[in-house]
Amino acid sequence: MFIQRRLYHLSHIDLDGYSCQLLTSYIFQNRKFYNANYGKEVLFRIDEIFEDIEKLERGEKVFLLITDLNLTIKEAEYIDSKVKQSPYNIHLQLLDHHITGAEVAEEFSWYYMNTDKSATKITFEFIQKNFPFPKESDKIAKFVEAVNAFDIWLQDSEHFEYGKVMMRLIGSARELARTMFAEEDTYYKLELLKGAMEIYNDESIEKKHIYLDDQIHYLKKRFFRGNREDDTIDNLMTNYIVELLEKRKEELTIRYKGYKGVLTYMIGSISVIGNAFLTRNSDYCFFLDVSNKGNISLRANGDVDVAVIAQEIGNGGGHSNASGGRVKGMREFYRYGDVKKFIENLLIEKEYTTDLLLPQSESN
């Protein structure tokens, strides 16, 4: 059966894109989700998908699904070529609604476009025609109407206001760094959408869009709390992220002049998260976060003077336990390993071209 294929699903990073993935999550047990914005990231994710496909046994069948992303002709030709050259049995399908993809849709049979519907509604109808849908189909259909009404701006629809609040729910869900925690970030957003679907199908609630607006904080907090004791959302989120970092800390470890640190990418909230990590992992001396613009933020717990590190690697400075700067040559990366390679090369260069770094206790 087609449903037994392993799903690799690439989608956009907005309400419509994530809603498409929510729908396929009900159908495919063997699945992996990828997300991309427009531009270079699209083909980067495609290459990433094919890297993952190549890890499979040769006999496995694959369903490569792309939703809510319109491709350029060059992007489509590249993907089509990759599929045809692959030794794997890959079924390729794109479902989209952007008019800018019209020319491409005429060139490739796997490129389906319908400008009258959102990608979520197109995906829903595609699933209904090709797969046995779950018992929740009525609830899902109502959710789909809300996404569709907002995404194609059906302002007179009874579903429009609810879709608008769901857009804010997803748009404000920036607590997890997408490049660092891709799988967790997508799972987080899908769980938020499931919560929104539950509310929209609760007949005891009258003004559902207002109720959802009030519940955004609760839905986020429920996710980060999990089985933990109740706390503020900031503390729950910090514990969740620190646990993710601890699971990967060997991969995230960097060293500078003998001092052991951890490197993150666009993680944000570094004062809280950085200090929490360092407190729980006393063998680490500093915490370094870098943005796609090259801005760096450093935190320490007294083992090293990070103002000196910031000055040496980023022409910055600050306090001995909290500092910042900006590194040259930084660009946007779509995979953490590439960020680490860039920063490690910088650290090696600076290690041999700057003065020796003194511990904070000796420099005071």
Side-chain angles (χ1 to χ4, degrees):
M1 292 178 63
F2 193 81
I3 196 171
Q4 294 175 338
R5 287 178 179 258
R6 187 178 293 270
L7 174 69
Y8 293 84
H9 186 173
L10 172 65
S11 200
H12 196 212
I13 55 171
D14 62 359
L15 171 63
D16 198 21
Y18 287 112
S19 295
C20 293
Q21 292 178 322
L22 178 61
L23 297 182
T24 58
S25 74
Y26 286 104
I27 302 300
F28 290 87
Q29 291 186 348
N30 295 323
R31 62 180 183 265
K32 188 168 183 180
F33 293 136
Y34 306 79
N35 296 91
N37 204 351
Y38 288 102
K40 294 180 181 179
E41 189 176 9
V42 173
L43 292 189
F44 182 92
R45 295 298 170 208
I46 289 295
D47 286 339
E48 187 177 31
I49 289 171
F50 275 90
E51 288 175 10
D52 289 339
I53 290 174
E54 289 170 4
K55 298 173 185 176
L56 301 175
E57 297 290 335
R58 287 296 175 95
E60 288 211 51
K61 296 180 179 180
V62 172
F63 180 26
L64 173 52
L65 177 64
I66 303 171
T67 55
D68 198 34
L69 287 167
N70 67 276
L71 305 179
T72 66
I73 190 69
K74 289 185 178 180
E75 289 171 339
E77 288 172 347
Y78 180 80
I79 296 169
D80 191 68
S81 175
K82 293 280 285 186
V83 170
K84 289 178 178 177
Q85 293 175 13
S86 174
Y88 294 88
N89 184 335
I90 300 175
H91 180 87
L92 172 62
Q93 181 69 61
L94 183 142
L95 305 172
D96 189 44
H97 66 125
H98 297 98
I99 189 62
T100 46
E103 180 183 347
V104 188
E106 292 180 359
E107 292 291 325
F108 298 95
S109 60
W110 48 264
Y111 197 121
Y112 178 81
M113 186 194 72
N114 185 333
T115 59
D116 296 327
K117 302 172 183 178
S118 66
T120 298
K121 190 162 187 177
I122 295 169
T123 302
F124 181 66
E125 293 175 352
F126 173 81
I127 290 174
Q128 284 183 311
K129 290 179 181 178
N130 293 282
F131 304 100
F133 218 74
K135 298 178 181 178
E136 302 91 340
S137 58
D138 291 341
K139 295 181 179 180
I140 296 171
K142 189 174 180 180
F143 165 85
V144 168
E145 289 302 326
V147 176
N148 185 70
F150 176 76
D151 197 72
I152 62 173
W153 209 255
L154 302 177
Q155 200 165 359
D156 294 331
S157 167
E158 62 179 317
H159 304 288
F160 179 81
E161 288 298 327
Y162 200 82
K164 186 165 68 172
V165 180
M166 285 200 295
M167 179 275 296
R168 187 163 68 83
L169 173 66
I170 294 302
S172 67
R174 303 187 189 97
E175 291 83 358
L176 300 178
R178 186 166 65 90
T179 301
M180 285 206 64
F181 308 121
E183 291 184 11
E184 293 85 358
D185 179 63
T186 300
Y187 177 66
Y188 171 44
K189 291 180 170 70
L190 299 192
E191 287 298 303
L192 293 179
L193 291 176
K194 287 180 183 178
M197 187 188 300
E198 292 172 7
I199 292 172
Y200 204 37
N201 283 278
D202 188 339
E203 296 304 324
S204 68
I205 302 171
E206 292 187 6
K207 297 181 179 180
K208 295 180 175 61
H209 62 294
I210 297 175
Y211 185 82
L212 176 61
D213 185 64
D214 292 336
Q215 292 294 299
I216 287 178
H217 179 84
Y218 167 76
L219 291 174
K220 291 183 175 185
K221 186 174 179 180
R222 182 175 71 175
F223 176 86
F224 289 115
R225 179 181 177 182
N227 296 322
R228 301 173 182 83
E229 290 186 14
D230 198 12
D231 205 336
T232 64
I233 191 170
D234 287 333
N235 289 339
L236 292 171
M237 179 191 68
T238 296
N239 287 332
Y240 182 90
I241 292 175
V242 169
E243 287 175 6
L244 292 181
L245 295 174
E246 288 175 332
K247 290 177 183 178
R248 296 172 53 188
K249 62 182 179 180
E250 294 304 318
E251 174 194 356
L252 308 180
T253 297
I254 55 174
R255 286 178 169 79
Y256 185 60
K257 295 185 175 179
Y259 293 93
K260 185 179 178 182
V262 65
L263 171 68
T264 59
Y265 181 55
M266 298 182 67
I267 202 169
S269 303
I270 185 175
S271 291
V272 177
I273 295 171
N275 281 293
F277 179 88
L278 293 171
T279 299
R280 288 170 50 162
N281 299 271
S282 58
D283 54 324
Y284 284 79
C285 300
F286 66 95
F287 192 105
L288 169 59
D289 185 63
V290 60
S291 77
N292 61 336
K293 304 292 186 182
N295 298 319
I296 58 172
S297 297
L298 294 109
R299 296 295 182 270
N301 265 351
D303 294 325
V304 67
D305 189 337
V306 291
V308 177
I309 299 180
Q311 183 179 25
E312 291 186 348
I313 71 172
N315 197 30
H319 305 286
S320 56
N321 282 329
S323 62
R326 186 169 186 173
V327 298
K328 296 180 180 180
M330 187 69 179
R331 60 181 178 83
E332 185 171 13
F333 291 103
Y334 305 117
R335 179 156 41 197
Y336 173 80
D338 296 329
V339 178
K340 187 179 181 185
K341 183 178 179 180
F342 176 87
I343 294 297
E344 284 187 322
N345 287 338
L346 174 67
L347 296 180
I348 291 172
E349 174 190 340
K350 297 297 182 180
E351 185 162 356
Y352 294 102
T353 58
T354 57
D355 295 332
L356 290 175
L357 184 66
L358 295 176
Q360 180 186 337
S361 58
E362 296 179 21
S363 61
N364 289 341

